[in-house]
Amino acid sequence: MVQVVVLEDRPAHREELMGLLEQWTLADQLEIECAAAPDELRELVRRTPVDILLTDIDLGEGESSGIQLVQELFPAESGTQVIYMTGYPVRFCTEVYQTEHIYFLTKPLRREELYIALDRAVRNLSRREERRIAIQSGGRIIPLSTARIYYVESDRRLARLYTMQGTVESYISLARLLPQLGPAFVQCHKSFLINMAQVTQLESDSLLMKNGDRVPISQAHRKEMREAYLSYLTCRL
């Protein structure tokens, strides 16, 4: 399922958009949640990954704008497909380019344009090297998108998964976890797995990740790590 979040402060506009989404060809593949204010969006992001964000830009006096919220919550590497909506296109037509987004819709919304934007978002999502896994943590089952995991650290029997939504801890071995994560993940140290899609720099004894953390490469894994990363980059060219 595709996780869609709508951020719209006006109830009538929110209702209109929901009606259009329900009539889209792929509506049965969407799980839609709505937020009426920035804090509601922040709460949603804390508990669920967002594949597609449809956000109004002007959210009222004294509130963060949709553009500011995207800068705060959805960095480019998050993979979230951002679609902006506004009744003031001239006012925001340059500011939107401060963030990654795939479409800029003007109000009143036109059905055809909305569906073109959604089609583009779904195509982009289908290209991502992503799978979803379920992690048991503290009596809860937490669904995670593997594309949003930076790396995993093992501390004895405890695995810490460093993700774009925060850190998740689970009692699972790296040997059991690695096959679930997919081909973008490789072991670089007896205590670490890394997502090669989240590496910004490979050095002789460490990797710099997109979240700013540095992960060690052990002597035993150095050759394997370098070959795996070069192969990964070559396949993406």
Side-chain angles (χ1 to χ4, degrees):
M1 299 294 286
V2 177
Q3 305 290 329
V4 178
V5 170
V6 172
L7 176 59
E8 172 58 73
D9 61 325
R10 298 185 181 183
H13 290 181
R14 203 161 54 242
E15 185 176 338
E16 175 194 11
L17 179 54
M18 289 297 294
L20 292 172
L21 290 173
E22 289 167 1
Q23 296 171 47
W24 185 45
T25 309
L26 301 178
D28 60 342
Q29 297 182 26
L30 305 181
E31 287 190 4
I32 306 170
E33 296 204 56
C34 291
D39 283 345
E40 290 182 26
L41 176 65
R42 292 184 180 101
E43 179 59 31
L44 279 174
V45 170
R46 275 194 288 270
R47 58 183 171 83
T48 186
V50 180
D51 295 314
I52 300 174
L53 174 70
L54 287 141
T55 180
D56 191 12
I57 296 179
D58 187 353
L59 297 167
E61 189 174 350
E63 294 283 10
S64 300
S65 72
I67 296 169
Q68 290 170 325
L69 287 167
V70 169
Q71 290 173 322
E72 173 189 343
L73 300 172
F74 303 102
E77 63 268 21
S78 72
T80 298
Q81 305 298 297
V82 176
I83 300 171
Y84 286 120
M85 307 175 292
T86 184
Y88 310 97
V90 175
R91 178 179 166 191
F92 296 113
C93 65
T94 57
E95 192 177 343
V96 292
Y97 290 100
Q98 296 174 11
T99 65
E100 292 283 340
H101 65 285
I102 64 163
Y103 224 92
F104 183 53
L105 298 172
T106 58
K107 296 180 180 179
L109 296 178
R110 289 185 289 180
R111 181 191 306 265
E112 296 78 10
E113 274 198 302
L114 172 63
Y115 293 168
I116 288 171
L118 291 170
D119 286 340
R120 181 179 297 177
V122 169
R123 281 199 306 273
N124 290 347
L125 289 170
S126 69
R127 295 190 189 111
R128 294 196 324 209
E129 296 177 9
E130 178 177 342
R131 63 177 69 184
R132 293 185 184 276
I133 59 173
I135 295 294
Q136 186 169 341
S137 178
R140 298 178 299 155
I141 302 295
I142 301 176
L144 289 178
S145 162
T146 59
R148 299 178 185 188
I149 300 172
Y150 294 109
Y151 64 95
V152 183
E153 179 183 11
S154 175
D155 182 4
R156 298 177 184 172
R157 293 175 53 243
L158 182 68
R160 293 190 183 92
L161 292 82
Y162 295 87
T163 81
M164 294 175 190
Q165 278 72 46
T167 304
V168 176
E169 295 185 342
S170 179
Y171 285 99
I172 184 172
S173 69
L174 296 187
R176 280 186 56 205
L177 185 58
L178 182 57
Q180 301 179 44
L181 295 174
F185 285 78
V186 66
Q187 188 157 9
C188 63
H189 186 283
K190 68 177 182 180
S191 300
F192 289 90
L193 306 175
I194 60 100
N195 182 354
M196 291 186 285
Q198 297 298 335
V199 173
T200 60
Q201 189 172 324
L202 170 65
E203 299 179 356
S204 61
D205 60 355
S206 65
L207 298 129
L208 182 62
M209 309 305 293
K210 288 184 178 178
N211 67 343
D213 289 353
R214 194 172 290 277
V215 177
I217 305 173
S218 68
Q219 181 71 38
H221 289 86
R222 198 164 294 174
K223 183 173 183 289
E224 175 191 353
M225 179 68 247
R226 182 172 295 276
E227 289 176 353
Y229 189 55
L230 289 175
S231 175
Y232 173 80
L233 292 178
T234 301
C235 290
R236 292 178 64 86
L237 293 177

